[in-house]
Amino acid sequence: MPSTPEKTHSELIRGRQPGRSMAGELFGRQDVFETDVDVFFNKHWILVGVTADVPEPGDVSTVDLGKASILVVRDDDDNIRAFRNVCRHRGARLKEAGKSTVGMLVCPYHQWTYDFDGSLRHTTHMGPDFNHSCKSLRPVQLRVIGALIFVCLSDEAPQDIAVLEETMSPRFAPYHLQNTKIAHESEIIENGNWKLVIENNRECYHCGGTHPELTASFLPEDFGFCPDGLSEESQRALDDYYSRTAAAVASWEQDGLICDAFEHLSPDVMTNFRTQRLVIAGHGESQTMDTKVACTRLLGDSRRRDLGDTHLWTHNSWTHVMSDHAVVSYIIPLAPDKTLVRTKWLVHADAVEGVDYKLSDLTEVWLATNAQDANLVSISHRGTQDPGYTPGPYSPFTESYIDGFAQWYSARLAAHGI
Ligand code: 3BY
Ligand code: FES
Ligand code: FE
């Protein structure tokens, strides 16, 4: 019997019923994965690190992304630059993934030597007529927003990165995020498709049942839109949250701090993001187990500990900035069922471990949350690959951002001819 031909990527995505989850093939198929990487990671702006990855001139951070690899370098004038990690001689990788410090960028193969501005400074055996000037490293477009490093591998980088920059620069400014250091980093290879990682990050339907550490400090706003199932206790907690929010927003605005939600998520945008200053529960200071600051050396100049949580999510990252520390996570797709999640905890550059902060207090909430989410991503990936899976309905109250993500995903593929 002839087998039914496989659906195309386009048929799969456009066959999705509005309000329902995606077809399993969109998470599991190799061809879909390759197109996703090409469109969403090679043609859009992606977060690949923080300025504290390269704190001093000559520091290099190398990020591998599919077949591509990117060198992020701090030059002698403290500018951060990005280049393709490909030698202009015969193409060897200049640096392996990870961090290092160098005087110049020297190719390990035949020692072609590049300056931090990418220009080729030195070669041997190439003869007197060899023109060095046309063999600079290929630059990669880069924007530093707060401390976040975004790059775009495409020559036609989406222009609406300017919206992200204009929106986030003033929100991040009070925290002086470039004057931070990495107190801790973690890497998890999650056993699931990158879209499941992002979907999971865009809903907190699962938070109450999964994240006891996070929910000590985190009260998602969309919790309030659920019209059913709220116990008296939850309703009281919610009323309390709304009155706290109103009071906190009034006092933040008095201090000139930007609070309102800004969403750039519709299918016609290229750079997909959301931000808002969220109220922290309990003592209202930080995403810690006791909801107080984990680091007594605060970020920036403010002496206020109750600055809430300025969150930002993009299609490959999520960031939370509080008065005492920031947590930045970003994802790199590795395979249809494997996604690397890197997380960095930032504190004031002068903060001293054991004096100003205890590492376990700083990292406890998000280490636990990330591990819990990794498990959720794994069980959802495996379930969607089961022949028994059929797409199910999103909650209109707590999963609307996932439906929005699917619409944006579809529109961006269409814009690239898929
Ligand atoms: O679970 C997640 O990935 C995120 C963390 C905060 C709530 N949730 C949307
Ligand atoms: Fe780099 Fe030859 S490939 S110097
Ligand atoms: Fe979660």
Side-chain angles (χ1 to χ4, degrees), residues 181-201:
K181 65 171 184 179
I182 297 173
H184 187 68
E185 348 192 8
S186 80
E187 280 197 359
I188 307 181
I189 295 178
E190 299 196 356
N191 293 314
N193 186 263
W194 74 276
K195 297 191 291 294
L196 291 171
V197 179
I198 291 302
E199 288 186 358
N200 177 64
N201 189 253

Side-chain angles (χ1 to χ4, degrees), residues 94-107:
L94 294 162
K95 285 271 158 207
E96 296 298 339
K99 298 185 199 179
S100 54
T101 304
V102 297
M104 300 270 258
L105 291 161
V106 183
C107 179

